[in-house]
Amino acid sequence: MNQLPESNSVDLRGQGKSLYPCGRPLLSFPEPLKLVILGATGSIGLQTLKIVRANPERLQVVAVSCLGRWTELIQELDLLATACPGCVPPLVAICDPAARKEASQSGKFGARLLGEGASALVEAVETPEDVHVVVNGVVGAAGLAPTLSAARRGVRIALANKESLVVGGDLVTREVFDHGAEILPVDSEHSAMAQCLSGRTESEIHKLILTASGGPFRQTGAAELEKVNLVQVLNHPTWNMGPKITVDSATLMNKGLEIIEAHFLFCVPYERIDVVVHPGSYIHSLVEFVDGALLAQLGTPDMKLPIQYAISGEKHWTLPGSRLDLLEIGQLLFDKPDIERFPCLELARQAGRTGGSATIALNGANEVAVAALLEEKIRYADIPRIIEEVLSSQPSHSVGSLQEALAFDTQARRVADALVARISTTAR
Ligand code: MG
């Protein structure tokens, strides 16, 4: 890969400032906050809707999107209407064309139904008259376009879609700074760091420390990793999440993507972002300050906390649920990540350092490989091999627009698809 200078990965219009509003005032909106929820039937979306139902005076949904599960969406919208009887029903984007057609024929949504395809996500952000917060819970690179639209609206983006920054970090940075938007992380590790950084400035940060549960294969030997099956891959020890991120957690690619996400969010160079394996996931991440002070955020593995913290504009609103009992935990364990057994971690860090289109290739190859694993076309151990081969076949270029980013994404996916086809044919 061609090495790009490090300055290329931080857009100059961001003036080397963190994308996360570190030490800067947050946007302020009147309540109820008007929300767009992208990926409403996914894990993040459903939990966001629960938070809205628990806070009808504070939060109001103006638009939702889903990929294809429209019948499930109807049930959710019914629950929402019960929680807030006087509220106007939200606009609805159903991206999958066949599902949208069915939904339209059902007559359940009437004129509230927006267009179809990837542009429906952008429509969901752009159509409502008033929007304060866009919750982006879309899975994969498809989340980038609506993140850019939300940035252009100058609103708060509660970002769960880490691919927005992995694929379009420079583009998102430029739009956020040009339009006065803000990004508050929903990813639990980055939310933990944001909570540690409350009231601090970037110049006080020395190092970011991301914790990793280690996934289901923390103690699995290299030879055994060659043989693990899909059920084992999907058996995450601490967090209950969607299938894509669960696979990414098993390969540690999730942590790799989170390194890149942290780099763009907090404007910290890659050599000052560490990963520590912390089985149990009690500490969600840490920040080391220049004076050596180490701040951590702890809690139960409940995504509703980071979602609510981001939506609310970093408020600790009441949240029912189980609490972390320190005496029950007794001790906290830490370990060094094994990059020999989990090569995805280093592949991601390298792609981040290379910058430009390298992280797009990394992400595209990973999405293709994960989908192939979920369809049982390839094995777990094939994932890093596919990504490495795609990365070494794609020279890195700087990325100037969404169209360019999507073109690099398509190119990487094409190479990855061919590799999957080769592996699955050989396996048979
Ligand atoms: Mg995370």
Side-chain angles (χ1 to χ4, degrees), residues 363-376:
N363 182 72
N366 184 53
E367 284 190 27
V368 167
V370 171
L373 176 77
L374 291 171
E375 290 171 27
E376 298 188 88

Side-chain angles (χ1 to χ4, degrees), residues 61 63 102 121 132 134 150 181 185 202 259 264 293 321 340 342 366 378:
V61 184
E102 274 176 33
L121 291 171
H132 301 134
V134 173
E202 287 122 326
I259 293 175
F264 281 105
E340 300 291 322
F342 300 103
N366 184 53
I378 61 163

Side-chain angles (χ1 to χ4, degrees), residues 33-37 48 52 59-63 132-133 135 311:
L33 298 179
K34 298 194 171 163
L35 261 59
V36 173
I37 305 175
T48 307
V52 174
L59 303 170
Q60 196 184 319
V61 184
V62 293
H132 301 134
V133 186
V135 182
I311 293 174

Side-chain angles (χ1 to χ4, degrees), residues 162 187-190 245 254-255 258:
K162 60 191 72 162
D187 208 349
S188 63
E189 293 79 358
H190 305 75
I245 190 167
N254 183 50
K255 214 47 58 181
E258 286 177 357

Side-chain angles (χ1 to χ4, degrees), residues 292-322:
L294 203 55
L295 260 58
Q297 186 258 338
L298 289 78
T300 54
D302 182 352
M303 284 306 294
K304 287 198 289 304
L305 191 151
I307 295 170
Q308 185 170 285
Y309 189 73
I311 293 174
S312 64
E314 311 214 316
K315 306 264 184 356
H316 288 284
W317 287 349
T318 304
L319 184 64
S322 63

